[in-house]
Amino acid sequence: MYNENFYQFSTLTVLALLVFFYGGTYLLTLLIKEKKENTDAFMVSNHQIGFGLGAASMTATWIWAASFYAAATSGYTYGISGPLHYGLWGALMILFIYPFGRRFRKLAPNAHTLGELIHARHGASSQLILASSNILGSIISLMVNFTASGALVSVLSPLSFQAGVVIAGVGVLSYTLWSGFRASVLTDFAQLMAMMAIAILIIPAVMFAIGGPETLSNGMSLLTPEQASLFSVDAILNQGAPFFVAVLAYAIGNQTISQRLFAVREDHIKPTFITATIGYGAIVIGLGMIGLMALMTGMEPMNGDMNNLIPQMVSMYLSPVFIGLFFILVIGSLSSTADSDLSAMSAIVMADIYGKNIAKNKPDPTRMLFIGRLTMIVATLIGVILASFSMDILIMLIFVGALWGAIVFPVIASCFWSRVTNTAFTSAVIAGLVMFCIARFELLPMVGLTAGLFELLASVGGGVVLGLMAFGFCGRRAGLIVGALSTLVLAYFCVGFLRDYTVLMASLMAYGVSTIVCIGVSLMSTSKFDFAQINQDVINYDPAKPATRA
């Protein structure tokens, strides 16, 4: 798909870059390949990942291809505060997992998935809600990353979109299939180092190529007052707040994150998450500034597609060497997330579906590994097919986001409050999802008492988000106080106002409704759960085998 606005490599050059990247990555994984794999190493590296590898893997997994394009779009659309809202809140959500992650590890030190913990706490139905949402979310993530590869290859070379999709799928699968999560972590480290080095070169190179700080200063006149403001209300309500709510749900509900939580050595959890927070924020905010530079130079995205912003800037202002580095940057970012999705799905099918529900905690390790690898192959095939047909997955993505938002409070409450029941968990998630859909798709007219009620429920959701953050870092009393006060303040400001921001209102409603239902149903029960049972039920599948390398 040739376009004169983009620099194009020859077919041979692009294939050489892809072979260099995926071939080098595959050779790297040979360093850790074992003749007879260990199931626990395949899923969580025997819970022995160190600080450096853990922080790098967390950062690389959180940064995916969409991060670059979305951060640049945010800078182009909302101006100065755009990249900050995209990068800062995403970074803080990595930090947010830390206090709850320590609780998860304390309850189930041998866990491979968060679903195993929920299975021990509530049973199969709650576990499968979490597992199914993760599988669907990871399939969508695979599709998005393979799509990004296809688009990049088709723009920068004569190769077709489908060729780029297939190459990415085969490349990622080739180095992940044998060693699973261990391969993902090791390659994440190398990919992150490359991404950081390239980002450090490309961002200032673009800035000086367009004329340096003086050009940017002159470009301030092209910005609207909202775009020129560091505290833009427009950016907060349309970008910052919705993204803040969304990534909180992603942080708690997604297996790619919890898998790394269970893999990192317990004494390294805190520095791992703090370092990943800083690394993610720095890289994504920096790349988002390219979108801001495009806005300040008056550039129009080709065909009106915001995803063309970064490729256009790189093609217009940088030499072929830098364009090649940019190519590797995007391929590295999408691959680091895609291999994490494959590892996550394999662990879910191995542990949640086969280990707990089919083998009843007595799985055959050889069969378990076969199932994990087969899952990777099938998932890659599905991701490639969906990406090749450029299917519209917006509706699925909306449902996954709503489902993750609805499970945040039930999951956290289940790990701290002994009275939460399986009925409370499942009914809370279902209620939150249903009410989200009503609000998101405006199945009821958002006027009068209906809109007011929905805004009040969204205010509760906002209080839950802030209260959970306070609870995680400052304890139960602080969480209750912050949650209650935030709900009251938000109710005062949101009623009559939030109905104009449907996405934000619907997302907050998922939190608010699921919390109200979870608490209400739990209070109807007098039984109390013994948390010590979780550790007895969640086991290692190769307990006699020594820890495996990285």
Side-chain angles (χ1 to χ4, degrees):
M1 168 171 102
Y2 175 75
N3 191 293
E4 62 182 7
N5 288 321
F6 291 103
Y7 176 86
Q8 282 211 326
F9 294 110
S10 67
T11 299
L12 183 62
T13 301
V14 165
L15 289 176
L17 287 171
L18 290 168
V19 169
F20 168 76
F21 178 82
Y22 285 119
T25 307
Y26 175 77
L27 292 175
L28 184 63
T29 61
L30 294 181
L31 298 174
I32 59 170
K33 188 173 182 178
E34 301 285 345
K35 289 184 179 180
K36 187 173 178 63
E37 273 295 342
N38 176 338
T39 57
D40 291 302
F42 189 86
M43 289 189 282
V44 287
S45 293
N46 298 108
H47 314 282
Q48 292 298 312
I49 292 293
F51 160 65
L53 284 177
S57 183
M58 181 70 73
T59 305
T61 297
W62 204 254
I63 299 173
W64 59 329
S67 298
F68 295 172
Y69 299 120
T73 298
S74 185
Y76 188 86
T77 305
Y78 300 110
I80 293 174
S81 64
L84 297 177
H85 280 298
Y86 191 92
L88 180 60
W89 301 130
L92 288 179
M93 286 306 99
I94 301 177
L95 187 63
F96 172 81
I97 312 170
Y98 155 65
F100 299 109
R102 293 190 65 178
R103 176 65 174 175
F104 298 157
R105 283 293 294 269
K106 181 179 180 181
L107 292 176
N110 297 318
H112 311 86
T113 71
L114 188 56
E116 286 183 300
L117 190 159
I118 295 300
H119 182 277
R121 179 69 174 85
H122 291 306
S125 61
S126 297
Q127 177 207 28
L128 291 176
I129 287 175
L130 194 59
S132 60
S133 70
N134 270 293
I135 290 174
L136 182 56
S138 289
I139 287 291
I140 293 172
S141 177
L142 272 180
M143 195 218 74
V144 170
N145 281 291
F146 292 162
T147 298
S149 174
L152 185 70
V153 168
S154 66
V155 163
L156 295 181
S157 81
L159 291 173
S160 68
F161 173 87
Q162 285 76 15
V165 169
V166 172
I167 290 171
V170 173
V172 172
L173 181 63
S174 68
Y175 70 80
T176 312
L177 184 62
W178 186 263
S179 300
F181 178 76
R182 293 188 301 118
S184 174
V185 170
L186 182 62
T187 56
D188 280 347
F189 181 83
Q191 289 160 356
L192 180 66
M193 295 302 104
M195 283 192 286
M196 289 177 64
I198 295 170
I200 290 171
L201 292 173
I202 284 181
I203 296 168
V206 170
M207 184 181 71
F208 285 107
I210 65 176
E214 184 178 351
T215 299
L216 296 180
S217 178
N218 296 334
M220 288 292 292
S221 61
L222 300 176
L223 274 58
T224 66
E226 280 288 323
Q227 290 174 331
S229 172
L230 190 60
F231 304 99
S232 167
V233 174
D234 186 40
I236 292 172
L237 292 175
N238 288 297
Q239 170 71 55
F243 187 63
F244 178 84
V245 173
V247 293
L248 169 58
Y250 187 95
I252 296 297
N254 192 276
Q255 167 64 12
T256 61
I257 304 301
S258 56
Q259 191 171 20
R260 280 153 182 76
L261 168 68
F262 289 122
V264 173
R265 279 177 44 185
E266 195 165 358
D267 57 326
H268 288 167
I269 291 177
K270 183 176 181 179
T272 294
F273 280 81
I274 291 175
T275 304
T277 297
I278 297 170
Y280 172 89
I283 293 174
V284 172
I285 291 173
L287 289 167
M289 291 299 173
I290 295 180
L292 179 61
M293 293 180 210
L295 175 65
M296 289 181 164
T297 57
M299 190 191 79
E300 293 291 334
M302 192 186 73
N303 298 328
D305 186 353
M306 291 292 187
N307 288 334
N308 287 326
L309 284 172
I310 292 184
Q312 270 183 267
M313 290 290 284
V314 172
S315 292
M316 287 175 62
Y317 293 106
L318 298 184
S319 67
V321 173
F322 279 101
I323 298 172
L325 291 175
F326 166 75
F327 184 87
I328 294 296
L329 176 68
V330 178
I331 293 295
S333 68
L334 68 88
S335 298
S336 66
T337 303
D339 63 41
S340 298
D341 286 316
L342 291 180
S343 299
M345 282 188 282
S346 67
I348 289 170
V349 176
M350 290 168 71
D352 291 352
I353 297 177
Y354 173 67
K356 292 297 180 185
N357 292 292
I358 297 177
K360 304 298 182 183
N361 245 20
K362 296 180 180 179
D364 175 4
T366 302
R367 181 176 297 176
M368 200 175 201
L369 282 169
F370 173 77
I371 290 171
R373 292 184 177 122
L374 181 62
T375 299
M376 288 185 175
I377 295 172
V378 172
T380 300
L381 182 61
I382 294 172
V384 166
I385 291 173
L386 292 176
S388 297
F389 284 100
S390 300
M391 296 181 67
D392 184 2
I393 47 83
L394 178 60
I395 300 299
M396 286 193 295
L397 194 60
I398 288 172
F399 274 104
V400 171
L403 191 55
W404 281 342
I407 68 174
V408 169
F409 183 85
V411 165
I412 293 176
S414 296
C415 295
F416 288 90
W417 188 19
S418 61
R419 290 181 63 176
V420 179
T421 63
N422 182 51
T423 302
F425 188 103
T426 54
S427 59
V429 174
I430 292 171
L433 182 60
V434 169
M435 293 299 287
F436 169 89
C437 292
I438 293 174
R440 179 66 180 82
F441 301 111
E442 299 187 46
L443 301 180
L444 293 175
M446 289 297 136
V447 294
L449 291 176
T450 301
L453 174 61
F454 279 38
E455 287 167 334
L456 287 174
L457 291 173
S459 300
V460 173
V464 169
V465 172
L466 297 174
L468 285 176
M469 293 187 69
F471 168 65
F473 290 105
C474 303
R476 183 176 63 179
R477 179 175 295 181
L480 290 172
I481 293 173
V482 169
L485 291 178
S486 298
T487 299
L488 293 174
V489 172
L490 287 171
Y492 176 79
F493 287 104
C494 288
V495 174
F497 170 76
L498 198 58
R499 66 193 67 180
D500 295 328
Y501 299 90
T502 306
V503 175
L504 178 57
M505 182 175 71
S507 298
L508 289 174
M509 275 194 62
Y511 285 89
V513 172
S514 67
T515 299
I516 292 171
V517 173
C518 184
I519 292 174
V521 176
S522 296
L523 289 175
M524 295 170 63
S525 171
T526 57
S527 63
K528 292 188 176 182
F529 180 79
D530 180 8
F531 285 109
Q533 293 180 18
I534 295 178
N535 189 28
Q536 298 172 15
D537 188 60
V538 180
I539 62 172
N540 275 328
Y541 297 106
D542 291 289
K545 294 184 179 181
T548 309
R549 288 172 290 160

